Amino acid sequence: MNHPNLRRRAALLAGAVLITTALVAPPGSAQPPTGPTATSLGLPTFAPGRYVVTLADKPVATYQGGVSGLKATKPAAGRKVVVNSADAKRYRTFLSGKHAEVAARVGAKVTHDYSTALNAFTASLTSKQVNELSKTAGVVSVVPDQMRVALDDRKSTDFLKLSGNSGVWKALGGTASAGKGVVVGVVDTGIWPESASFAGPALGTNPPTAADPYRPYRSGSETVMQKADGDTFTGSCEAGEQFTARTCVTPS
């Protein structure tokens, strides 16, 4: 008897056999690995290379004590970090020891220690070592050690939302006066005095007037400027290779 349900079941069975046969590799073909991989286990994969490993312990600049036998190294309010004090050296040795200990857990070797403003070390790591360190107690982060290029201020004003009708400069009186009374701290990534970023009028020796109270001027070998908060900024030019004191007081 030709029953329709039997025909349907036979067709489904034949289809299953065909699919199964298609999934089986023919004899002599390359077989895929059967062991677990980082991908099959759901683990992230990382390119081997140089990484920065940051630990949870405080660096010298912010350490307030807590480790037996090691005094606090964080400076008092308004004071500078004394990086070469006996206490700072002992604490730095302690941090370096922790770096070596953590790296050794995954079979890595420290290539550079950081301990003053950041408690971290760099090391050349494999993907497996990065995964293991990321799960190690006391490790805050493991990130690639990459070169970062500082942006020129003339290219980044829009990014910083300084320029434009809704920018900070506009809100503070325009570019002619928005920065008056502000002392800028420069992160020294290398300096080129001839850059247009440093263009400006030569510094004179006459003190500022009421109409222009924040204009900097020279007093002997020092540069003086009234700050917006009422204090006075006093600085001197640090000369260097192909950079004389005169470069600080003449326009580029």
Side-chain angles (χ1 to χ4, degrees):
M1 184 173 63
N2 195 6
H3 197 283
N5 287 334
L6 291 178
R7 289 199 304 271
R8 187 179 297 110
R9 290 176 186 175
L12 291 174
L13 179 59
V17 170
L18 288 173
I19 293 173
T20 304
T21 304
L23 293 176
V24 175
S29 64
Q31 298 295 318
T34 57
T37 64
T39 302
S40 66
L41 294 175
L43 299 176
T45 57
F46 302 91
R50 183 178 165 106
Y51 284 80
V52 179
V53 183
T54 303
L55 305 186
D57 294 299
K58 298 294 184 182
V60 171
T62 58
Y63 173 61
Q64 302 183 64
V67 178
S68 178
L70 297 176
K71 296 181 180 179
T73 54
K74 179 181 178 180
R79 310 290 291 185
K80 294 183 178 179
V81 179
V82 183
V83 296
N84 293 323
S85 68
D87 290 334
K89 290 179 179 179
R90 281 191 288 268
Y91 186 61
R92 186 178 292 110
T93 299
F94 165 77
L95 293 180
S96 297
K98 293 288 287 290
H99 297 168
E101 177 185 333
V102 171
R105 293 181 188 177
V106 298
K109 183 179 181 180
V110 174
T111 55
H112 195 85
D113 293 289
Y114 300 94
S115 56
T116 301
L118 176 71
N119 175 26
F121 67 88
T122 56
S124 295
L125 305 172
T126 64
S127 177
K128 180 180 179 182
Q129 288 171 324
V130 174
N131 269 309
E132 292 178 354
L133 282 174
S134 299
K135 298 180 291 184
T136 299
V139 173
V140 175
S141 66
V142 184
V143 298
D145 186 10
Q146 299 175 327
M147 176 69 73
R148 300 293 184 182
V149 180
L151 296 175
D152 182 85
D153 66 338
R154 292 175 181 263
K155 296 179 181 178
S156 60
T157 55
D158 290 335
F159 172 75
L160 295 174
K161 303 197 183 300
L162 298 177
S163 56
N165 291 330
S166 60
V168 175
W169 287 342
K170 181 74 173 181
L172 297 178
T175 56
S177 58
K180 290 185 176 181
V182 177
V183 176
V184 178
V186 178
V187 177
D188 186 4
T189 58
I191 189 170
W192 181 40
E194 295 81 6
S195 170
S197 296
F198 297 100
L203 294 179
T205 56
N206 295 325
T209 62
D212 190 11
Y214 303 121
R215 175 173 52 79
Y217 65 98
R218 286 187 293 119
S219 177
S221 61
E222 296 183 326
T223 299
V224 182
M225 189 186 84
Q226 303 302 315
K227 296 168 58 179
D229 61 4
D231 291 338
T232 300
F233 169 81
T234 301
S236 57
C237 184
E238 185 68 32
E241 182 179 352
Q242 298 183 345
F243 191 99
T244 66
R246 187 160 183 77
T247 309
C248 295
V249 298
T250 57
S252 301

